[in-house]
Amino acid sequence: MWEFLFDLVCVHLNLTEGDYFGLEYQDQRKMTVWLDLLKPTLKQIRRPKNTILRFVVKFFPPDHTQLMEELTRYFFALQIKRDLACGRLICNDTSAALMVSHIIQSEIGDFDETQSWQHLLHNKYLPDQDAIRDKITDCHRKHVGQTPAESDFQLLEIARRLEMYGVRLHPAKDREGTKLSLAVAHTGVLVFQGYTKINAFNWSKIRKLSFKRKRFLIKLRADPNAHHDTLEFAMASRDCCKIFWKICVEYHAFFRLFEEPKPKPKPILFTRGSSFRFSGRTQKQIIDYVKDSELKKVPFERKHSKILSNSSMSPQPASFRSQVPKEVIQFLVSPFILSLIYCNYAPFSFLGRFVHIYRHFWSVFNSSLSRYLNLELLCRSPASDDSPLGSPHVIVNGSGSVNGQGIGCTGVLGPGQSPEGRQLSPLTSPLLTEAGYVRNDDEDEARRKKFPTDKAYFIAKELLTTERTYLKDLQVITESFQSFVGKDEVLPDSVKNLISANYDPVYKFHQGFLKEVEQRLAQWSGRSNAHIKGDYQRIGDILLKNIQGLRQLTIHLQKHSECLVELERACRSSRKVETVCRDFEQQRVCYLPFNIFLLRPLHRLLHYKLILERLCKHYPPTHEDFRDCRAALADISEMVLQLQGAMMKMENFQKLLELKKDLTGIDNLAIHGREFIRLGCLSKLSGKGLQQRMFFLFSDSLVYTSRGMTPSNQFKVHGQLSLYGMTIRESEEEWGVPHSFTLFGQRQSVVVAASCASEMERWVEDIRMAIDLAEQSSSPSTDLLSTSLPDNSKSDSGAEQESEEELCSSRSSLERQGHRGNTTVHVCWHRNTSVSMVDFSVAVENQLSGNLLRKFKNSNGWQKLWVVFTNFSLFFYKSHQDDYPLASLPLLGYSVTVPCESENIHKDYVFKLHFKSHVYYFRSESEYTFERWMEVIRSATCSTSHSTRKDLY
């Protein structure tokens, strides 16, 4: 039953690593005893109505970084504060002053002489605090800018190095009658004289621990240098011996065993010795569980309080408590739970007892927490019978603060409200940043991690792989393009110098950046002593240093849009320049339209921002890398905000220039104020029936085309509908064509049909949005077309069609004829789908590179390839050092799934790409990279583009 109660407390606190904690109480002999969760109530607690249970730290690990969750470390910090206040954590004045200064920093923030002095006058953190008050204030001065979480981290870092850290002294005497104290730690049994450790017996040296009446015996393993193989200590009573022996058994099992010991079978007739055993998970099991399970992290952020007099450091009279409003709840649990269990234990069967107690527990737990004080949490300071400091209470108010320290919450919720509208527990709600998220075991099991390496490593590795691709893209501009146009010297010197002056410094900077990232990842994944110490298991310091350096290049980044405009002007003014640029785009190294490369540095800022956001979300605030990542994120966010306006304009301008190459029959597509919205396939209803047409939606007009049969394979414009005054009506019933709608323009009307309901919804929504934008303009737009072209073209059914293999190859026959055949427009035409400008913007952010294993549908082996995802396509290389891709796979229209059991792909982290009869399998190295590839590929497939688009709008 007690195990059930303890589990309820941990669940209510959202505490995964609850096995480090325990419930202690004072028995009738005034001895502090740990509650045995497996032992019946009546055999432990004689007077339940007068018993107080305290939820405190039971097992102190040697290093607080072994605690996997931030919430656990926060409770450990509360325990250290309690131990300092009651005089249990003994240390020199310097360490004491430093720890108290961190406590004050976490409570009131940066040093202010008057405020800090007043705060120390009204609050007692040490029994002899007045004697070292000046030292405390001197230390407090040095913590400017330190957050509460960082202060708690430093508090634990100092405490763990102290000799008395986690020590609970048990009085004893040796054989000569000398007064000593025994204690137990993760290493073994310790012997103290006063507060000085004089001996230690490691678990590896201890053969057996036992007790006989008042004698506590330590039997050591055979050692020729030892004088005695059995050490004997006398304690006050048999009960004292047994209590200490139990603690030693639990410490040994928790820190030394791999799994919980199995219970011994009970003898039938006679019992010999104690049947006590350790119950619960061992430290190794806890660490493995948290590592192997991708648990929902619940970090929390506490804010500084400016209250000088901390009510938690002095006992409150009953009159004060009676005046506390309903929304102010004491941070205590379990109203008269002991008497409840005691009274209901006998009359019921086991199941009836369980249900009865459970119902009563929760009914009282939710209604009258502040009325009964039978179970204290560790954040209470020691009671008056332990210390002259009294029994302070921790108050949690409706705004989410602990001891006056606000606790941030990311959701916009009312006090105590969960996202679903349910009342949250007063214990969980102030501690969570995600509006009181409660773990679900089924959800955790479903998301169980299979790879042991830290997720931060794979985030850093994503930075490395994408940086390699980015540097190759910069090399296309700084080396390949400049070398190619320099042969004929047709490009004006002004444009050539503008590109060189603003891209060469960026390229040189990122060469150094990439080297630093490569070195760090090599050290991180290596097996040197530095790796074991964890000195290189971070990336934030490199990111912070280089992003600060990148800010110095902002003047060059601002000029990149000018480079794009000037290059376009040069192409317009000179046919030779345009021809040279077109010829360069046919080079294998230029695997994308060249203008996309010119915008790469601006897009890369978005990638750094996303990577840093993932790191900051992954790290707890006390992680050594969190501070650098947060500072780097602030810097890159400022740069993105500064350049975002120009970036959006240039993306639209670049897209208009790209479409201009695919269209014929339009004089000037890229004019000021025109915005591209969507392109894709629709079937147009005419006298000859439904004919496939390519539609282009702009902010001022809708243009429809058919695929030409010319060597360049451009799309020939047939007509234009002005959006000014246009109306739209769904017309399936009128024409008997599924997914059809009619567009009524000023001069003509057009009936079109989409391939499916979702495609129709996307087109109708975007056209209506574009009509609204056109109506807001002052006057109708001018015609796009150079001449008015009637829709009298023949059906394209006899036109040459590319096969899927041709479309997916990097050098199709169409490209050899002088035009790249796998552009986005051609892919949409070939697969009868559409894509919007919002989808292009999403694709800019969702770029990824890395090694993948590829397998075809009917092949047996896996082929290792370097894969780059960009511009809705996968590009395949032998290695990251290759200058150009071997092949490409446009993904528009594809579906990404996980292989089913019947496909016999018995490998981890495999995803499947399929379109009609074309099936590809890809295998990644870890769960994180698997999820990232799935995420970015889904952004390029028709199955998720609509939902993504809605989120952005």
Side-chain angles (χ1 to χ4, degrees):
M1 187 61 229
W2 287 115
E3 190 173 14
F4 169 68
L5 170 64
F6 185 80
D7 290 342
L8 284 179
V9 174
C10 292
V11 169
H12 207 64
L13 289 171
N14 209 34
L15 189 61
T16 302
E17 299 171 296
D19 302 80
Y20 286 101
F21 301 83
L23 299 174
E24 68 174 17
Y25 66 98
Q26 281 194 338
D27 61 12
Q28 66 275 12
R29 298 154 297 183
K30 298 297 180 182
M31 297 175 60
T32 301
V33 182
W34 289 107
L35 188 69
D36 188 345
L37 302 181
L38 300 180
K39 195 173 182 180
T41 308
L42 294 174
K43 292 187 178 182
Q44 298 187 81
I45 300 176
R46 304 297 181 185
R47 299 161 58 188
K49 291 186 178 180
N50 300 321
T51 301
I52 296 176
L53 297 180
R54 294 190 178 90
F55 184 86
V56 295
V57 176
K58 187 175 185 178
F59 301 108
F60 289 82
D63 189 350
H64 58 91
T65 57
Q66 291 179 340
L67 306 173
M68 308 300 290
E69 290 208 321
E70 175 62 24
L71 182 60
T72 313
R73 288 193 287 271
Y74 172 64
F75 281 128
F76 265 74
L78 293 177
Q79 182 68 63
I80 297 302
K81 295 176 188 178
R82 186 177 189 272
D83 290 348
L84 279 173
C86 71
R88 180 182 285 168
L89 184 56
I90 305 298
C91 58
N92 57 44
D93 289 349
T94 302
S95 297
L98 191 54
M99 284 191 288
V100 173
S101 69
H102 284 297
I103 294 173
I104 298 174
Q105 175 70 20
S106 71
E107 292 185 353
I108 68 172
D110 293 342
F111 176 77
D112 178 88
E113 187 167 0
T114 303
Q115 183 184 15
S116 300
W117 192 261
Q118 290 293 325
H119 188 81
L120 285 172
L121 285 175
H122 289 86
N123 299 271
K124 290 288 185 180
Y125 298 102
L126 295 169
D128 56 347
Q129 178 175 297
D130 293 342
I132 59 171
R133 191 181 301 165
D134 292 336
K135 280 189 176 183
I136 295 173
T137 54
D138 289 341
C139 293
H140 188 198
R141 284 189 179 93
K142 302 175 183 178
H143 304 329
V144 175
Q146 196 167 272
T147 65
E150 292 167 344
S151 298
D152 286 345
F153 184 89
Q154 294 301 324
L155 174 67
L156 292 176
E157 185 66 23
I158 298 167
R160 77 178 182 90
R161 301 177 188 275
L162 300 177
E163 199 165 65
M164 297 297 293
Y165 166 69
V167 170
R168 303 293 182 258
L169 298 178
H170 298 258
K173 294 180 181 179
D174 62 10
R175 296 190 183 195
E176 288 75 28
T178 305
K179 289 185 178 181
L180 304 170
S181 294
L182 298 180
V184 62
H186 66 283
T187 55
V189 179
L190 311 177
V191 182
F192 284 82
Q193 191 166 24
Y195 296 113
T196 304
K197 184 171 68 175
I198 61 174
N199 211 339
F201 303 100
N202 291 336
W203 297 121
S204 59
K205 297 180 180 179
I206 297 175
R207 181 168 58 89
K208 185 179 180 181
L209 293 174
S210 61
F211 64 95
K212 292 182 179 179
R213 296 183 177 87
K214 297 194 300 183
R215 292 180 299 147
F216 184 79
L217 305 175
I218 303 176
K219 294 183 180 180
L220 303 175
R221 300 188 185 278
D223 186 355
N225 298 323
H227 298 289
H228 304 283
D229 62 349
T230 301
L231 302 175
E232 184 178 312
F233 298 90
M235 304 189 81
S237 65
R238 178 186 180 276
D239 290 335
C240 293
C241 273
K242 187 172 184 179
I243 289 171
F244 183 63
W245 173 78
K246 283 184 175 181
I247 297 173
C248 291
V249 170
E250 291 184 311
Y251 253 80
H252 175 267
F254 185 78
F255 287 106
R256 295 280 290 181
L257 300 185
F258 287 168
E259 59 184 16
E260 177 184 357
K262 298 179 180 179
K264 297 179 180 178
K266 292 186 177 180
I268 300 175
L269 297 176
F270 304 102
T271 60
R272 181 181 179 183
S274 174
S275 61
F276 173 78
R277 69 177 180 89
F278 169 73
S279 62
R281 295 178 296 184
T282 64
Q283 186 188 36
K284 184 181 185 302
Q285 286 178 311
I286 298 172
I287 294 174
D288 291 345
Y289 172 74
V290 178
K291 281 185 176 180
D292 294 343
S293 302
E294 190 171 356
L295 297 169
K296 180 74 174 180
K297 296 294 182 182
V298 285
F300 57 95
E301 181 181 356
R302 297 178 296 111
K303 298 179 181 179
H304 300 296
S305 168
K306 298 302 180 183
I307 301 174
L308 295 180
S309 178
N310 190 341
S311 62
S312 72
M313 299 310 295
S314 60
Q316 300 293 348
S319 59
F320 173 84
R321 291 196 296 269
S322 63
Q323 297 171 2
V324 175
K326 291 182 180 180
E327 65 268 20
V328 179
I329 302 175
Q330 293 176 352
F331 201 20
L332 304 167
V333 293
S334 184
F336 66 94
I337 188 66
L338 295 175
S339 60
L340 183 71
I341 295 174
Y342 184 85
C343 296
N344 292 286
Y345 195 86
F348 297 95
S349 65
F350 175 77
L351 182 60
R353 268 199 317 272
F354 181 87
V355 175
H356 184 79
I357 293 172
Y358 181 84
R359 288 175 177 172
H360 278 276
F361 172 77
W362 284 112
S363 64
V364 180
F365 187 84
N366 289 323
S367 62
S368 56
L369 279 173
S370 60
R371 292 178 56 196
Y372 303 94
L373 310 179
N374 290 73
L375 178 61
E376 293 186 6
L377 291 176
L378 61 86
C379 33
R380 285 193 62 175
S381 292
S384 57
D385 53 359
D386 290 342
S387 168
L389 298 177
S391 180
H393 304 295
V394 179
I395 304 298
V396 179
N397 59 33
S399 62
S401 64
V402 177
N403 283 350
Q405 303 169 46
I407 300 173
C409 194
T410 56
V412 183
L413 302 170
Q417 290 291 325
S418 71
E420 296 80 16
R422 300 190 299 267
Q423 277 299 116
L424 288 176
S425 160
L427 300 183
T428 54
S429 57
L431 297 179
L432 311 182
T433 60
E434 298 192 10
Y437 179 91
V438 179
R439 287 188 179 87
N440 184 305
D441 290 339
D442 294 336
E443 177 183 273
D444 293 338
E445 187 67 21
R447 299 177 62 195
R448 181 177 295 275
K449 290 196 296 185
K450 298 179 181 179
F451 205 92
T453 309
D454 183 16
K455 181 179 178 180
Y457 169 77
F458 291 108
I459 300 176
K461 192 170 183 180
E462 180 182 337
L463 171 68
L464 170 64
T465 56
T466 52
E467 189 72 13
R468 283 172 173 167
T469 298
Y470 172 55
L471 201 66
K472 283 288 184 182
D473 289 348
L474 287 179
Q475 194 173 353
V476 172
I477 305 171
T478 58
E479 295 181 7
S480 303
F481 178 72
Q482 295 188 39
S483 174
F484 188 86
V485 298
K487 296 177 182 177
D488 299 329
E489 296 185 355
V490 295
L491 191 67
D493 290 339
S494 59
V495 179
K496 190 185 303 181
N497 294 335
L498 183 65
I499 294 176
S500 176
N502 292 290
Y503 283 92
D504 289 354
V506 176
Y507 176 62
K508 185 176 181 181
F509 170 81
H510 283 280
Q511 283 181 309
F513 185 13
L514 177 60
K515 287 181 181 178
E516 290 187 49
V517 176
E518 286 177 332
Q519 290 173 358
R520 176 58 56 85
L521 266 292
Q523 293 164 335
W524 195 335
S525 60
R527 300 194 176 276
S528 64
N529 292 332
H531 168 258
I532 296 173
K533 294 177 183 177
D535 294 340
Y536 297 118
Q537 295 182 354
R538 54 188 177 138
I539 197 66
D541 55 333
I542 291 178
L543 278 166
L544 178 60
K545 170 192 168 185
N546 284 278
I547 286 175
Q548 288 174 345
L550 191 59
R551 294 187 68 174
Q552 307 302 319
L553 300 175
T554 303
I555 187 172
H556 296 296
L557 297 176
Q558 291 172 334
K559 291 281 188 178
H560 288 179
S561 58
E562 184 181 341
C563 294
L564 179 61
V565 173
E566 291 302 319
L567 182 61
E568 173 60 18
R569 284 177 180 169
C571 291
R572 286 183 183 179
S573 60
S574 171
R575 181 63 62 88
K576 288 184 178 179
V577 173
E578 182 181 11
T579 302
V580 168
C581 290
R582 287 287 183 96
D583 290 342
F584 177 72
E585 285 194 331
Q586 301 309 311
Q587 303 301 306
R588 291 185 294 181
V589 70
C590 188
Y591 64 101
L592 295 171
F594 181 67
N595 289 338
I596 292 181
F597 290 101
L598 293 177
L599 294 180
R600 276 290 197 250
L602 296 178
H603 294 161
R604 187 58 178 161
L605 301 180
L606 298 175
H607 303 159
Y608 292 143
K609 184 173 180 286
L610 292 172
I611 287 172
L612 283 163
E613 285 173 349
R614 291 191 194 100
L615 285 169
C616 290
K617 186 177 180 181
H618 169 68
Y619 284 137
T622 54
H623 195 280
E624 62 179 355
D625 208 22
F626 177 79
R627 197 169 186 174
D628 288 339
C629 289
R630 185 177 59 181
L633 178 59
D635 287 343
I636 199 67
S637 298
E638 184 180 344
M639 290 184 66
V640 169
L641 189 63
Q642 182 180 356
L643 297 168
Q644 193 166 19
M647 190 187 309
M648 294 177 65
K649 290 180 181 179
M650 287 302 103
E651 284 177 359
N652 181 71
F653 182 61
Q654 181 271 327
K655 183 52 58 181
L656 293 175
L657 295 180
E658 185 180 339
L659 293 178
K660 180 183 174 183
K661 300 174 185 176
D662 286 310
L663 295 175
T664 180
I666 293 181
D667 281 337
N668 189 8
L669 186 63
I671 63 172
H672 179 72
R674 176 173 293 144
E675 294 182 16
F676 163 72
I677 298 177
R678 177 174 287 276
L679 66 86
C681 263
L682 291 171
S683 295
K684 180 177 175 292
L685 185 63
S686 66
K688 297 180 181 180
L690 290 174
Q691 294 181 309
Q692 184 179 0
R693 293 287 180 264
M694 197 71 184
F695 280 73
F696 297 85
L697 178 62
F698 302 100
S699 59
D700 55 356
S701 60
L702 177 66
V703 176
Y704 54 95
T705 66
S706 65
R707 186 163 178 254
M709 299 178 63
T710 61
S712 61
N713 283 283
Q714 290 175 297
F715 285 84
K716 184 180 180 181
V717 176
H718 288 293
Q720 169 194 357
L721 295 174
S722 173
L723 296 179
Y724 190 84
M726 177 183 285
T727 58
I728 185 171
R729 184 181 70 197
E730 298 182 15
S731 53
E732 287 190 27
E733 297 180 359
E734 180 180 353
W735 298 101
V737 178
H739 319 307
S740 64
F741 54 96
T742 305
L743 302 171
F744 296 93
Q746 293 178 332
R747 289 182 257 177
Q748 60 177 328
S749 61
V750 176
V751 180
V752 294
S755 59
C756 60
S758 59
E759 274 290 309
M760 173 183 169
E761 182 183 352
R762 296 168 199 170
W763 274 106
V764 170
E765 185 177 345
D766 279 351
I767 292 173
R768 283 177 174 159
M769 180 192 67
I771 291 172
D772 292 340
L773 292 175
E775 292 291 340
Q776 296 172 7
S777 62
S778 58
S779 61
S781 60
T782 57
D783 285 346
L784 283 169
L785 310 183
S786 55
T787 57
S788 179
L789 300 173
D791 187 15
N792 55 2
S793 66
K794 297 180 180 180
S795 172
D796 297 316
S797 58
E800 179 187 0
Q801 296 287 324
E802 308 131 285
S803 67
E804 181 67 18
E805 286 74 15
E806 287 176 325
L807 189 62
C808 295
S809 68
S810 63
R811 309 298 297 171
S812 68
S813 59
L814 299 176
E815 290 181 61
R816 287 192 293 270
Q817 293 173 356
H819 186 74
R820 189 179 297 275
N822 61 351
T823 64
T824 305
V825 178
H826 286 84
V827 175
C828 288
W829 170 268
H830 197 65
R831 295 183 183 160
N832 199 18
T833 186
S834 67
V835 63
S836 71
M837 189 61 200
V838 176
D839 296 326
F840 282 107
S841 298
V842 171
V844 163
E845 298 182 5
N846 286 296
Q847 297 186 23
L848 196 59
S849 306
N851 286 309
L852 286 175
L853 297 175
R854 185 184 66 178
K855 179 181 179 299
F856 297 107
K857 182 179 180 180
N858 298 319
S859 64
N860 295 323
W862 293 84
Q863 180 184 13
K864 186 176 181 180
L865 296 168
W866 177 261
V867 184
V868 174
F869 173 81
T870 186
N871 205 39
F872 306 106
S873 299
L874 293 178
F875 295 90
F876 303 104
Y877 302 74
K878 281 187 177 181
S879 74
H880 68 86
Q881 297 174 335
D882 291 352
D883 292 328
Y884 53 84
L886 302 173
S888 65
L889 177 64
L891 296 181
L892 289 172
Y894 266 75
S895 296
V896 57
T897 58
V898 178
C900 60
E901 190 69 26
S902 61
E903 294 174 270
N904 295 320
I905 305 294
H906 303 297
K907 300 291 183 181
D908 294 331
Y909 319 128
V910 176
F911 58 91
K912 169 186 172 184
L913 285 171
H914 54 97
F915 173 76
K916 296 182 178 179
S917 61
H918 301 274
V919 178
Y920 306 90
Y921 299 101
F922 294 93
R923 195 169 140 211
S924 55
E925 64 177 337
S926 70
E927 184 167 6
Y928 172 79
T929 52
F930 168 78
E931 290 177 351
R932 284 290 295 134
W933 279 106
M934 290 284 283
E935 178 185 350
V936 299
I937 289 175
R938 278 176 177 153
S939 71
T941 59
C942 59
S943 58
T944 59
S945 61
H946 187 42
S947 59
T948 305
R949 182 178 153 280
K950 278 190 172 181
D951 293 340
L952 288 176
Y953 278 165

